[in-house]
């Protein structure tokens, strides 16, 4: 069996593994019968039966169940409808019971008793929406409702996952009624398995599933990080295990409404794991502490909120009190707004110490949000119940000193779970955060998700730093004396502590705000931003020493850049002097700026900050941080984590790294700046020299392995050498991977004098890549695949004598193709010239002339055989010449044929499949009548059935043995032409 077979090597095994863990397979024909047609998403009888079974007191008969089905079918075909469908799945919707004259909650699922649900899986799931018809590879249905759509690709497809994702996006456009019901999607090509939430279609919301060693009742989502990623059986069985699917549907999806816009979130594997472990700790009467250590940018807030919701909704916790503790007013308000946006019920926001004390004294149940300082002087034993759960955000600093003692003294029997996003400093094991929260676990934490793991998963990108020129660096003696040597900065956890130290560092802060230095740095930043950052489409932060320094930098930057390009975001003080007050922002103004900064092409492009936005603000488009403020430990890691968020633009450009440009010398001694265990941070923040060394290494490899192909050759000879060498698909895809890494490095490093010795060779590699993609993947728009700085090379510097793609003829038709056959070119070049032009002909004219599609299919078959070395150039040219002659004949006959475009396409499909002209015309004439009789066959199931009957009969009459297969191929071709 060929490894390139998607159905046999990926789709069929996926279905087999699903049936082994409890799903019942239904063939497509049976699924279509149960659905009642392609326009219906549900297995109708299954859903009606399950509605009555799961709701015996509310849905008392089939008529009542049908009413619920009608309600489900009437949901809006968008994310709003998807939200409502999810509310149905979670049991949040009601149905009126006439006999009781009241509303009862409606259950579509029973997540607590999986055996009461019915689990079906089917494939080739056709769905009709208006003029559009899609066909999903695999669909999973629970109680007749499609909840999970899976797209599979062959393991040999280099861009398989990207292509599958594009299909999922297309389904949202062309079959929104189906996608309004489905909550999840997955993409796999055997060695990779990704998943995401429907209606959340950014690449950064596509997550890597790692696998599982098995589930049990107490911990149904226990993930094994050591499971091999390429074990397809493990990946599939762990993801589609019925209990897991139910849990994901009901507990690990969140909808949030922000600024009036609804968005959807699904938790990542490490978040699911942490939720289950925290709930396990909450059930353990012997343990009352736990530390969840998840790196910055890994979704800690959503993990906390999911845990809070599960604690509140799980009956065994007996209507508990859950406290969410934060340490800053900004976070408190942000969290409170998140809770409202996520649909939490009544939430108590503790507005003062007295209010918090009152809430605890009166035994308030439900959710309480408070800042840690409101526990100051809190009496002991204020609430002694055991079903009190305290979730403490930024635990590395929230519970330090007496505040932590007051908190725990007031709630002596509560379970305390700390959450931190930064590594624990070297001295902390045995004290501080580890002692407070990690004492019940041998390793000091309940769950850990490291920076390195997040980079491997693509949750964050690696960081690189660059030291500014010496004349712009901070005074080293002042830094040593007034910053590095200050004992209180050991393990510093709060930016306010940094600020207090800097307030006393008179020499250092005066030096940092020296007007001449500020002017020079502003000029450097402006030039660097315009040269390196802006051409890639990214944005930047400039971090200054204090609020006054922010204002000084704004004034200086405005002398080098348009004023609207930058904005100051600082906290305001009542006694601020006028030059600071000018930059005070209202809440609405700041909100508008923060939103605009996240969007490409909008101003501001540079934020000037000192404290605000250095924690809690996520803007994936942020690539570069200009650092002119001394920081260290947690504060430094939190700040630089602003630039480590993955980002992908609409035109496909991916941010693969973040950059910190250091003006104070923090990164001269990274071990000193980050007092954490080396295993947690080593290799995560590296100098830009690492990228230069890697670029040099790749270029040396290119000179030895790739550029030798064209050494001493030019024009057609060079083209033929490259095309012939890379006919092997694995070698070709290996080159693509090599080039993409090289291109990403070039994008980051350019322009740089370091690159000058490599530019000509790099340009040759660009041309080689373009040639291969154009010749072997004509359906891929090559120019769009280049990153911006490489695209500039393509536009400006491609030489006429270089290795180029086959040139376009611009006059598409049989005559032009025959002319290509007679050109004085090497045979390999001729083959690809012809294939390229045939592909272009079919793409541009196939809709108006469907017969061209069958010719295009023949051309693609020749391409595949040629690439796989099943034929040589001479044989390929002979077959292409025959195909061009057929095309010429088809053009001529089409001009005089009385047949419609559809009927003529049937005739030429048969003729390209060796049917004699008389038989092909006989079938086409019979189908001409059928097309007139059944004009809506593409959208009407009955008409399609009648048309098929005619086609079956016509093919049988001329002696075709594979009637069904040929009919499917012909009708699919006509559908493609109509798309």
């Amino acid at each position: 069996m060929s490894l390139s077979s998607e159905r046999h090597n990926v789709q069929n095994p996926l279905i087999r593994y699903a049936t082994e863990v409890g799903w019942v397979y239904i063939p497509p024909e049976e699924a279509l019968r149960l659905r009642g047609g392609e326009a219906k998403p549900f297995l109708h009888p299954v859903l009606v039966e399950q509605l009555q079974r799961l709701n015996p007191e509310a849905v008392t008969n089939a008529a009542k169940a049908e009413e619920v089905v009608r309600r489900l079918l009437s949901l809006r075909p968008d994310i709003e409808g998807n939200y409502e469908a999810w509310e149905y799945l979670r049991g949040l919707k009601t149905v009126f019971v006439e006999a009781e004259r009241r509303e009862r909650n409606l259950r579509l699922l029973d997540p607590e008793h999986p055996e009461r649900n019915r689990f079906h899986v089917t494939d080739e799931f056709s769905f009709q929406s208006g003029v559009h018809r899609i066909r999903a590879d695999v669909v999973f249905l629970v109680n007749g409702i499609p909840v999970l759509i899976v797209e599979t690709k062959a393991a040999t497809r280099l861009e398989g996952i990207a292509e599958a994702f594009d299909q999922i996006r297309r389904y949202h456009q062309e079959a929104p009624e189906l996608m309004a019901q489905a909550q999840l999607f997955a993409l796999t090509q055997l060695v990779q398995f990704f998943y995401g939430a429907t209606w959340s279609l950014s690449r950064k919301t596509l997550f890597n599933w790692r696998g599982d060693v098995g589930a049990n009742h107490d911990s149904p989502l226990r993930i094994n990080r050591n499971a091999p990623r390429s074990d397809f059986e493990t990946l599939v069985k762990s993801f589609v295990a019925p209990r897991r699917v139910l849990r994901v549907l009901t507990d690990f999806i969140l909808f949030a409404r922000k600024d009036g816009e609804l968005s959807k979130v699904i938790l990542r594997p490490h978040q699911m794991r942490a939720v289950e472990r925290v709930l396990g700790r909450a059930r353990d009467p012997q343990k009352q502490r736990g530390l969840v250590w998840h790196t910055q940018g890994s979704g800690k807030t959503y993990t906390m909120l999911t845990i809070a919701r599960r604690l509140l909704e799980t009956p065994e916790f007996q209507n508990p009190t859950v406290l969410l503790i934060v340490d800053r007013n900004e976070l408190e308000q942000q969290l409170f707004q998140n809770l409202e946006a996520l649909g939490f019920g009544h939430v108590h926001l503790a507005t003062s110490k007295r209010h918090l004390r009152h809430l605890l004294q009166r035994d308030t149940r439900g959710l309480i949000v408070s800042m840690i300082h409101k526990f100051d002087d809190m009496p002991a034993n204020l609430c002694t119940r055991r079903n009190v759960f305290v979730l403490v955000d930024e635990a590395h600093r929230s519970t330090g000193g007496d505040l932590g003692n007051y908190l725990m003294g007031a709630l002596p029997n509560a379970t305390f779970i700390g959450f931190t996003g930064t590594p624990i400093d070297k001295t902390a094991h045995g004290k501080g955060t580890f002692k407070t929260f990690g004492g019940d676990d041998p390793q000091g934490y309940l769950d850990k998700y490291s920076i390195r793991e997040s980079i491997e998963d693509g949750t964050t990108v690696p960081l690189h730093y660059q030291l500014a020129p010496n004349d712009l660096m901070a005074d080293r003696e002042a830094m040593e004396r007034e910053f590095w040597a200050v004992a209180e900065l050991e393990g510093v956890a709060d930016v306010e502590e940094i600020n207090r130290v800097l307030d006393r560092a008179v020499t250092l802060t005066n030096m940092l705000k020296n007007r001449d230095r500020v002017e020079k740095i502003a000029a450097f930043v402006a030039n660097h931003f315009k040269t390196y950052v802006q051409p890639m489409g990214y944005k930047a932060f400039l971090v200054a020493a204090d609020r006054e320094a922010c204002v000084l930098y704004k004034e200086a930057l405005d002398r080098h850049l348009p004023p609207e390009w930058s904005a100051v975001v600082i906290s305001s003080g009542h006694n601020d002097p006028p030059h600071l007050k000018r930059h005070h922002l209202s809440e609405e103004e700041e909100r508008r700026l923060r939103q605009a900064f996240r969007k490409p092409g909008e101003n501001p492009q540079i934020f000037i900050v000192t404290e605000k936005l250095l924690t809690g603000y996520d803007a994936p488009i942020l690539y570069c941080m200009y650092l002119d403020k001394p920081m260290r430990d947690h504060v430094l890691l939190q700040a630089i984590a602003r630039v480590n968020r993955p980002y992908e633009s609409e035109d496909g450009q991916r941010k693969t790294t973040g950059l910190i440009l250091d003006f104070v010398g923090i990164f001269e001694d990274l071990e000193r700046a980050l007092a954490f265990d080396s295993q947690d941070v080593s290799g995560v923040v590296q100098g830009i020299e690492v990228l230069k060394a890697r670029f040099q290494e790749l270029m040396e490899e290119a000179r030895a392995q790739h550029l030798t192909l064209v050494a001493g050759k030019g024009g057609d000879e060079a083209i033929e050498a490259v095309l012939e060498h890379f006919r092997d698909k694995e070698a070709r895809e290996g080159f693509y991977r090599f080039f993409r890494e090289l291109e990403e490095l070039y994008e980051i490093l350019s322009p740089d004098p370091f690159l000058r010795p490599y530019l000509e060779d790099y340009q040759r590699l660009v041309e080689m890549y373009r040639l291969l993609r154009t010749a072997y993947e004509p359906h891929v728009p090559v120019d769009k695949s280049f990153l911006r700085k490489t695209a500039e090379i393509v536009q400006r510097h491609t030489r006429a004598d270089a290795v180029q793609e086959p040139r376009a003829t611009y006059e598409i038709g049989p005559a032009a193709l025959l002319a290509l056959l007679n050109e004085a070119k090497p045979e390999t070049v001729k083959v690809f010239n012809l294939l390229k032009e045939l592909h272009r002909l079919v793409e541009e004219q196939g809709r108006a002339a469907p017969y061209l599609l069958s010719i295009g299919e023949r051309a693609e078959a020749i391409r595949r055989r040629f690439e796989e070395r099943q034929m040589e150039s001479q044989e390929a040219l002979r077959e292409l010449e025959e195909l061009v002659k057929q095309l010429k004949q088809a053009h001529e006959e089409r001009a005089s044929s009385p047949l419609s475009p559809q009927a003529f396409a049937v005739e030429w499909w048969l003729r390209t499949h060796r049917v004699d002209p008389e038989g092909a015309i006989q079938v086409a004439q019979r189908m001409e009548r059928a097309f007139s009789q059944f004009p809506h066959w593409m959208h009407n199931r009955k008409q399609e059935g009648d048309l098929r009957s005619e086609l079956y009969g016509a093919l049988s009459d001329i002696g075709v043995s594979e009637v069904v297969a040929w009919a499917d191929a012909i009708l699919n071709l006509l559908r493609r032409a109509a798309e």
Side-chain angles (χ1 to χ4, degrees), residues 420-566:
T420 184
T422 52
I424 312 305
D425 62 87
K426 293 172 183 174
T427 62
H429 206 294
K431 69 174 186 177
T433 317
F434 270 122
K435 180 183 177 184
T436 305
F437 295 100
D440 286 337
D441 297 290
Q443 67 273 47
Y445 49 82
L446 178 62
D447 193 77
K448 177 182 177 182
Y449 184 63
S450 71
I451 303 172
R452 187 167 297 284
E453 286 174 300
S454 75
I455 292 173
E456 289 174 359
D457 285 345
T459 302
T460 60
V461 297
L463 299 175
H464 291 88
Y465 68 85
Q466 191 169 7
L467 296 175
N470 278 333
D471 62 322
L472 299 180
M473 294 284 281
D475 182 271
R476 299 188 185 198
E477 288 185 12
M479 276 286 292
E480 184 66 43
R481 185 175 60 254
E482 296 187 339
F483 185 77
W484 288 121
V486 180
E488 65 191 87
L489 286 179
E490 182 68 30
V492 65
D494 198 307
V495 70
E496 292 173 5
E497 296 177 59
I498 292 278
N499 291 343
R500 283 194 292 271
V501 169
L502 292 178
D503 286 342
R504 298 197 303 270
V506 178
T507 305
L508 180 58
T509 50
N510 284 340
M511 181 272 303
L512 291 174
K513 292 190 286 186
N514 176 277
R515 300 302 194 269
D516 288 340
R517 180 177 181 274
V518 166
E519 179 62 36
K520 287 179 181 177
I521 289 178
F524 183 92
V525 166
N527 181 65
H528 185 277
F529 181 78
K530 288 189 295 183
T531 305
Y532 291 90
V533 182
Q534 193 185 49
M536 292 194 287
Y538 297 139
K539 298 192 178 185
F541 269 17
L542 196 166
V543 183
D546 59 19
R547 296 186 305 139
E548 183 182 35
C550 289
V551 172
L552 293 175
Y553 270 119
K554 171 61 176 168
E555 293 170 352
L557 269 182
D558 285 353
R559 289 190 280 274
H560 300 277
L561 298 174
E564 63 272 16
W565 282 23
S566 63

Side-chain angles (χ1 to χ4, degrees), residues 195-249:
Y195 74 98
T198 53
W199 303 97
S200 181
L201 300 175
S202 164
R203 290 287 174 95
K204 66 181 181 181
T205 60
L206 191 61
F207 302 137
N208 180 21
W209 184 252
R210 285 175 173 267
D212 191 313
V213 293
N216 57 51
H217 182 74
D218 295 324
S219 182
L221 291 148
R222 185 161 49 98
I223 294 165
N224 173 20
R225 289 209 160 273
N226 297 317
R229 295 191 187 193
S230 59
D231 183 349
F232 189 54
E233 182 177 358
T234 297
L235 295 175
V236 172
K237 287 184 174 180
S238 62
F239 188 79
V240 306
R243 185 185 296 274
R244 184 191 305 282
V245 171
L246 291 175
R247 185 64 72 206
V248 171
L249 290 172

Side-chain angles (χ1 to χ4, degrees), residues 52-165:
Q52 295 174 84
R53 182 185 181 198
L54 297 177
N55 303 275
E57 296 172 324
V59 183
T60 54
N61 53 48
K64 195 72 174 178
E66 293 285 1
E67 178 189 323
V68 173
V69 174
R70 284 193 294 274
R71 282 166 58 183
L72 291 169
L73 288 172
S74 68
L75 296 180
R76 287 173 52 173
D78 57 16
I79 190 172
E80 295 286 351
N82 189 244
Y83 177 37
E84 203 169 343
W86 176 76
E87 289 183 308
Y88 273 104
L89 293 175
R90 291 202 77 235
L92 302 178
K93 292 291 189 177
T94 61
V95 62
F96 184 73
V97 181
E98 290 83 353
E100 300 176 2
R101 301 187 63 79
R102 68 183 180 106
E103 297 279 340
R104 273 187 177 271
N105 278 74
L106 183 68
R107 304 183 73 180
L108 269 62
L109 309 175
D110 188 346
E112 301 306 321
H113 305 92
E115 69 281 357
R116 297 193 68 206
N117 302 280
R118 294 181 65 185
F119 301 92
H120 293 105
V121 60
T122 187
D123 54 349
E124 304 303 322
F125 189 100
S126 297
F127 188 85
Q128 187 80 39
S129 174
V131 299
H132 296 294
R133 182 176 184 267
I134 64 124
R135 186 168 62 191
D137 288 339
V138 182
V139 175
F140 289 80
L141 306 98
V142 181
N143 296 333
I145 302 167
V147 295
L148 167 62
I149 312 291
V150 182
E151 280 301 306
T152 61
K153 291 296 174 188
T156 55
R157 294 287 283 270
L158 176 67
E159 305 285 352
I161 294 297
E163 291 171 11
F165 196 28

Side-chain angles (χ1 to χ4, degrees), residues 593-747:
L593 287 173
R594 289 160 69 131
Q595 287 181 333
F597 186 83
R598 291 189 178 100
K599 298 176 181 177
E602 290 194 20
N603 290 321
Q605 299 181 54
I606 301 173
F607 266 153
I608 307 170
V609 299
T610 184
E611 180 177 347
K612 267 195 166 187
L613 308 188
L614 289 184
T615 58
Y617 178 65
D618 286 341
I621 199 170
L622 174 60
Y623 164 74
C624 183
M625 177 175 286
Y626 300 106
L627 186 61
D628 196 37
K629 176 174 184 170
M631 288 188 282
R632 60 170 301 177
D633 295 341
H634 303 91
V635 179
L636 176 61
L637 205 59
Q638 284 186 313
I640 64 177
R642 297 310 102 209
V643 298
N644 76 353
R645 305 301 194 263
Y647 171 77
E648 182 162 355
S649 65
E650 289 185 2
D651 58 5
Q653 178 175 3
R654 295 180 301 115
K655 186 175 90 177
T656 57
T657 184
L659 177 66
I660 304 104
L661 211 158
D662 179 7
F663 291 94
V664 286
I666 293 295
F667 290 91
E668 287 181 301
D669 188 352
L670 196 54
E671 284 291 318
R672 188 180 190 184
L674 297 174
F676 309 130
D677 291 338
S678 58
Q679 64 179 0
D680 295 317
V681 294
S682 64
V684 171
V685 188
Q686 297 178 316
I688 202 80
E689 292 75 17
V690 172
L691 299 182
K692 290 183 177 180
R694 179 60 178 160
F695 185 88
Q696 185 175 6
E697 179 186 328
L698 290 177
M699 286 303 301
E700 288 170 359
E701 181 182 333
R703 286 166 171 168
Q705 295 185 18
H706 305 310
L707 295 176
T708 52
L709 295 173
V710 295
K713 301 182 180 75
D716 294 338
E717 188 182 359
I719 293 172
E720 183 177 34
V722 172
L723 292 176
E724 187 62 36
H725 178 80
F726 285 108
R727 272 173 71 181
D728 180 73
K729 189 173 184 180
E730 285 188 20
R732 196 164 63 245
E733 293 184 347
F735 177 76
Y736 294 159
R737 285 191 293 271
F738 166 86
F739 177 80
R740 293 301 289 180
E741 182 183 357
L742 187 71
E743 184 189 29
E744 286 165 357
L745 292 171
Y746 179 84
E747 186 83 355

Side-chain angles (χ1 to χ4, degrees), residues 27-44:
E29 301 78 14
E30 175 64 8
L32 192 60
R33 184 188 68 78
L34 292 171
R35 288 165 55 199
E38 288 189 342
K40 303 292 179 61
F42 307 129
L43 302 179
H44 190 270

Side-chain angles (χ1 to χ4, degrees), residues 278 329 573 691 862:
V278 170
N329 185 62
L691 299 182
I862 294 169

